[in-house]
Amino acid sequence: TAGLTFDGSGNLWVCDPGNSRVLRYPAASLSDSSPNGPEADLVIGQANFTSLQTVDWSKPETRLSKSVLLQPSGVTFDPAGRLFIADGSNRLMAYVGPFRNGMDAARFAGVVVNIQGQPPRPAINEYSLFSPETAVATAAGIFVADTGAHRIVRYDPFDQWPEETAVLPSPPAKAVFGQSDLLSFKANRGATQPSESTFASPTGMTVANNELYLCDTGNNRLLVMPLSGINLGPAT
Protein backbone atom coordinates (compact mmCIF):
# COMPACT_ATOMS: atom_id res chain seq x y z
CA THR A 1 0.00 0.00 0.00
CA ALA A 2 0.95 3.67 -0.26
CA GLY A 3 -1.04 6.72 0.88
CA LEU A 4 -4.09 6.55 3.11
CA THR A 5 -6.50 8.95 4.78
CA PHE A 6 -9.78 9.13 6.66
CA ASP A 7 -12.88 10.92 5.39
CA GLY A 8 -15.20 13.04 7.50
CA SER A 9 -17.21 9.97 8.53
CA GLY A 10 -14.19 8.03 9.76
CA ASN A 11 -13.98 5.69 6.77
CA LEU A 12 -10.44 4.66 5.82
CA TRP A 13 -9.29 5.16 2.21
CA VAL A 14 -6.18 3.26 1.10
CA CYS A 15 -4.17 3.42 -2.13
CA ASP A 16 -3.50 -0.04 -3.57
CA PRO A 17 -0.91 0.83 -6.26
CA GLY A 18 -0.14 -2.74 -7.30
CA ASN A 19 -3.77 -3.20 -8.31
CA SER A 20 -4.17 0.39 -9.62
CA ARG A 21 -7.07 1.16 -7.32
CA VAL A 22 -8.16 2.93 -4.13
CA LEU A 23 -10.19 1.07 -1.51
CA ARG A 24 -12.58 2.37 1.15
CA TYR A 25 -12.98 0.57 4.46
CA PRO A 26 -16.10 1.60 6.42
CA ALA A 27 -15.54 3.05 9.87
CA ALA A 28 -17.73 0.41 11.49
CA SER A 29 -15.48 -2.38 10.20
CA LEU A 30 -12.14 -1.01 11.39
CA SER A 31 -12.42 -2.68 14.79
CA ASP A 32 -12.84 -6.09 13.13
CA SER A 33 -10.40 -8.43 14.87
CA SER A 34 -11.05 -11.48 12.70
CA PRO A 35 -8.02 -13.14 11.02
CA ASN A 36 -8.80 -11.55 7.66
CA GLY A 37 -9.44 -8.10 9.10
CA PRO A 38 -11.96 -5.57 7.77
CA GLU A 39 -13.34 -5.76 4.23
CA ALA A 40 -13.42 -2.86 1.79
CA ASP A 41 -16.87 -1.72 0.70
CA LEU A 42 -15.92 0.49 -2.27
CA VAL A 43 -13.29 0.53 -5.01
CA ILE A 44 -12.21 3.32 -7.37
CA GLY A 45 -9.95 2.78 -10.37
CA GLN A 46 -11.35 -0.65 -11.18
CA ALA A 47 -14.86 -1.75 -12.14
CA ASN A 48 -15.15 -4.03 -9.10
CA PHE A 49 -13.06 -5.74 -6.42
CA THR A 50 -11.85 -8.58 -8.66
CA SER A 51 -11.12 -6.76 -11.92
CA LEU A 52 -7.74 -5.56 -13.13
CA GLN A 53 -8.26 -3.47 -16.24
CA THR A 54 -5.75 -3.85 -19.06
CA VAL A 55 -4.83 -0.35 -20.20
CA ASP A 56 -2.23 0.73 -22.76
CA TRP A 57 -0.56 3.60 -20.93
CA SER A 58 1.89 4.06 -23.80
CA LYS A 59 -0.88 5.86 -25.69
CA PRO A 60 -1.03 9.57 -24.74
CA GLU A 61 -4.82 9.62 -25.03
CA THR A 62 -5.09 7.10 -22.18
CA ARG A 63 -4.14 9.86 -19.75
CA LEU A 64 -7.39 11.60 -20.72
CA SER A 65 -9.44 8.68 -19.40
CA LYS A 66 -11.35 9.39 -16.20
CA SER A 67 -12.29 5.77 -15.56
CA VAL A 68 -8.86 4.27 -14.77
CA LEU A 69 -5.99 4.82 -12.38
CA LEU A 70 -2.32 3.90 -12.63
CA GLN A 71 -0.55 2.99 -9.39
CA PRO A 72 -2.17 5.61 -7.13
CA SER A 73 0.11 6.87 -4.38
CA GLY A 74 -1.74 9.63 -2.51
CA VAL A 75 -5.31 10.29 -1.44
CA THR A 76 -6.95 13.24 0.32
CA PHE A 77 -10.26 15.06 0.76
CA ASP A 78 -11.09 18.74 0.55
CA PRO A 79 -13.35 20.47 3.11
CA ALA A 80 -16.39 19.81 0.87
CA GLY A 81 -15.75 16.05 0.87
CA ARG A 82 -14.39 15.78 -2.67
CA LEU A 83 -11.77 13.06 -3.17
CA PHE A 84 -8.38 13.66 -4.81
CA ILE A 85 -6.01 10.87 -5.90
CA ALA A 86 -2.44 11.27 -7.19
CA ASP A 87 -1.69 8.54 -9.72
CA GLY A 88 1.30 7.21 -11.62
CA SER A 89 0.33 8.72 -14.96
CA ASN A 90 1.29 12.19 -13.68
CA ARG A 91 -2.24 13.21 -12.75
CA LEU A 92 -4.30 14.43 -9.84
CA MET A 93 -7.77 12.89 -10.17
CA ALA A 94 -10.81 14.59 -8.61
CA TYR A 95 -13.98 12.69 -7.61
CA VAL A 96 -17.26 14.19 -6.48
CA GLY A 97 -19.67 12.17 -4.33
CA PRO A 98 -21.81 10.26 -3.90
CA PHE A 99 -19.05 7.70 -4.29
CA ARG A 100 -19.70 4.34 -5.93
CA ASN A 101 -17.74 1.39 -7.25
CA GLY A 102 -15.85 2.02 -10.48
CA MET A 103 -16.98 5.64 -10.78
CA ASP A 104 -15.29 8.07 -13.18
CA ALA A 105 -13.36 11.09 -12.01
CA ALA A 106 -15.11 14.43 -12.43
CA ARG A 107 -11.89 16.21 -13.50
CA PHE A 108 -8.15 15.78 -13.50
CA ALA A 109 -5.07 18.01 -13.30
CA GLY A 110 -1.61 17.48 -14.71
CA VAL A 111 -2.42 16.53 -18.32
CA VAL A 112 -1.08 18.74 -21.11
CA VAL A 113 -2.48 18.52 -24.64
CA ASN A 114 -0.18 19.79 -27.39
CA ILE A 115 -1.91 21.43 -30.34
CA GLN A 116 -1.05 20.18 -33.79
CA GLY A 117 0.84 22.79 -35.78
CA GLN A 118 1.91 24.72 -32.68
CA PRO A 119 5.18 24.37 -30.70
CA PRO A 120 4.83 21.89 -27.84
CA ARG A 121 4.56 23.32 -24.36
CA PRO A 122 7.53 22.89 -22.01
CA ALA A 123 7.50 19.52 -20.25
CA ILE A 124 7.25 21.25 -16.87
CA ASN A 125 4.76 24.10 -16.71
CA GLU A 126 1.66 25.33 -14.88
CA TYR A 127 -0.53 22.63 -16.46
CA SER A 128 1.76 19.60 -16.04
CA LEU A 129 2.60 17.31 -13.15
CA PHE A 130 5.66 15.07 -13.02
CA SER A 131 5.32 12.06 -10.71
CA PRO A 132 3.04 13.64 -8.09
CA GLU A 133 3.02 11.57 -4.89
CA THR A 134 0.30 13.13 -2.75
CA ALA A 135 -1.84 16.19 -2.09
CA VAL A 136 -3.52 18.09 0.71
CA ALA A 137 -6.63 20.19 0.20
CA THR A 138 -7.64 23.19 2.28
CA ALA A 139 -10.35 25.82 1.88
CA ALA A 140 -7.74 28.00 0.15
CA GLY A 141 -6.58 25.48 -2.43
CA ILE A 142 -5.07 22.11 -3.30
CA PHE A 143 -1.36 21.63 -2.67
CA VAL A 144 0.35 18.82 -4.63
CA ALA A 145 3.78 17.33 -3.93
CA ASP A 146 5.08 17.18 -7.51
CA THR A 147 7.93 14.82 -6.73
CA GLY A 148 9.67 14.57 -10.09
CA ALA A 149 9.80 18.36 -10.49
CA HIS A 150 11.03 18.89 -6.90
CA ARG A 151 8.24 21.30 -6.08
CA ILE A 152 4.87 21.84 -4.48
CA VAL A 153 2.21 23.41 -6.71
CA ARG A 154 -1.03 25.01 -5.56
CA TYR A 155 -4.30 24.83 -7.47
CA ASP A 156 -7.42 26.86 -6.81
CA PRO A 157 -10.20 25.08 -4.88
CA PHE A 158 -12.04 22.60 -7.10
CA ASP A 159 -15.16 24.74 -7.55
CA GLN A 160 -12.97 27.54 -8.96
CA TRP A 161 -11.30 25.42 -11.65
CA PRO A 162 -11.89 26.82 -15.16
CA GLU A 163 -14.14 24.88 -17.49
CA GLU A 164 -12.54 21.83 -19.07
CA THR A 165 -11.85 22.07 -22.82
CA ALA A 166 -10.28 19.72 -25.36
CA VAL A 167 -7.22 21.98 -25.56
CA LEU A 168 -6.97 22.71 -21.83
CA PRO A 169 -8.44 19.74 -19.95
CA SER A 170 -6.45 20.55 -16.80
CA PRO A 171 -6.60 23.62 -14.56
CA PRO A 172 -3.41 25.66 -14.21
CA ALA A 173 -1.40 25.70 -11.01
CA LYS A 174 -1.57 29.17 -9.48
CA ALA A 175 1.62 29.07 -7.38
CA VAL A 176 4.79 27.05 -6.93
CA PHE A 177 6.94 26.42 -3.87
CA GLY A 178 10.46 25.01 -3.98
CA GLN A 179 11.19 26.48 -7.41
CA SER A 180 11.57 30.06 -8.65
CA ASP A 181 8.83 29.63 -11.28
CA LEU A 182 6.49 27.06 -12.82
CA LEU A 183 8.96 26.13 -15.56
CA SER A 184 11.85 25.14 -13.28
CA PHE A 185 12.43 21.61 -12.02
CA LYS A 186 15.96 21.13 -10.61
CA ALA A 187 16.42 19.57 -7.18
CA ASN A 188 17.17 22.29 -4.59
CA ARG A 189 16.87 24.82 -7.44
CA GLY A 190 20.19 23.53 -8.79
CA ALA A 191 22.14 24.35 -5.62
CA THR A 192 24.57 21.88 -4.09
CA GLN A 193 22.93 22.18 -0.66
CA PRO A 194 19.26 22.44 0.32
CA SER A 195 17.72 25.42 2.06
CA GLU A 196 14.55 26.16 4.00
CA SER A 197 12.82 26.93 0.68
CA THR A 198 14.02 24.11 -1.60
CA PHE A 199 13.17 20.43 -1.99
CA ALA A 200 14.53 17.27 -3.55
CA SER A 201 11.89 14.65 -4.44
CA PRO A 202 9.20 15.73 -1.92
CA THR A 203 6.74 12.92 -1.22
CA GLY A 204 4.29 12.62 1.67
CA MET A 205 2.74 15.63 3.35
CA THR A 206 -0.06 16.59 5.71
CA VAL A 207 -1.45 19.72 7.36
CA ALA A 208 -1.97 20.32 11.08
CA ASN A 209 -2.33 23.50 13.12
CA ASN A 210 -1.75 25.76 10.11
CA GLU A 211 1.54 24.05 9.29
CA LEU A 212 2.41 21.78 6.37
CA TYR A 213 4.60 18.79 7.20
CA LEU A 214 6.58 17.62 4.17
CA CYS A 215 8.77 14.55 3.66
CA ASP A 216 11.66 16.06 1.70
CA THR A 217 12.87 12.61 0.70
CA GLY A 218 15.88 13.48 -1.45
CA ASN A 219 17.30 15.62 1.35
CA ASN A 220 16.59 13.03 4.07
CA ARG A 221 14.54 15.39 6.21
CA LEU A 222 11.08 16.43 7.36
CA LEU A 223 10.16 20.08 6.84
CA VAL A 224 7.56 22.05 8.81
CA MET A 225 6.29 25.01 6.81
CA PRO A 226 3.82 27.69 8.00
CA LEU A 227 0.61 27.69 5.96
CA SER A 228 -1.56 30.78 5.86
CA GLY A 229 -4.36 30.69 3.31
CA ILE A 230 -2.78 30.44 -0.13
CA ASN A 231 0.73 31.17 1.19
CA LEU A 232 3.30 28.54 2.18
CA GLY A 233 6.31 29.97 3.95
CA PRO A 234 9.90 28.71 4.23
CA ALA A 235 10.42 25.86 6.66
CA THR A 236 10.76 26.85 10.28
Side-chain angles (χ1 to χ4, degrees), residues 124-130 144-153 155 176-179 181-185 199 201-202:
I124 302 298
N125 59 55
E126 69 272 31
Y127 292 99
S128 66
L129 290 171
F130 185 32
V144 180
D146 195 19
T147 306
H150 311 291
R151 65 184 186 174
I152 294 173
V153 293
Y155 294 94
V176 63
F177 308 94
Q179 300 290 354
D181 56 53
L182 283 157
L183 301 177
S184 301
F185 54 88
F199 320 128
S201 301

Side-chain angles (χ1 to χ4, degrees), residues 114-121:
N114 288 312
I115 304 172
Q116 188 173 6
Q118 295 187 11
R121 292 187 176 94

Side-chain angles (χ1 to χ4, degrees), residues 151-209:
R151 65 184 186 174
I152 294 173
V153 293
R154 177 183 57 77
Y155 294 94
D156 283 338
F158 179 82
D159 53 11
Q160 296 178 26
W161 286 11
E163 184 178 353
E164 178 179 3
T165 68
V167 175
L168 293 175
S170 301
K174 292 301 184 69
V176 63
F177 308 94
Q179 300 290 354
S180 58
D181 56 53
L182 283 157
L183 301 177
S184 301
F185 54 88
K186 292 183 178 180
N188 296 317
R189 296 189 185 178
T192 56
Q193 297 294 327
S195 74
E196 69 274 17
S197 300
T198 66
F199 320 128
S201 301
T203 53
M205 61 182 181
T206 191
V207 170
N209 300 321

Side-chain angles (χ1 to χ4, degrees), residues 80-93:
R82 290 175 285 243
L83 171 68
F84 297 88
I85 299 172
D87 89 336
S89 61
N90 300 332
R91 303 180 299 179
L92 180 72
M93 310 295 286

Side-chain angles (χ1 to χ4, degrees), residues 18-32:
N19 291 312
S20 292
R21 64 184 186 176
V22 170
L23 298 171
R24 183 183 72 181
Y25 293 85
S29 73
L30 298 181
S31 59
D32 184 353

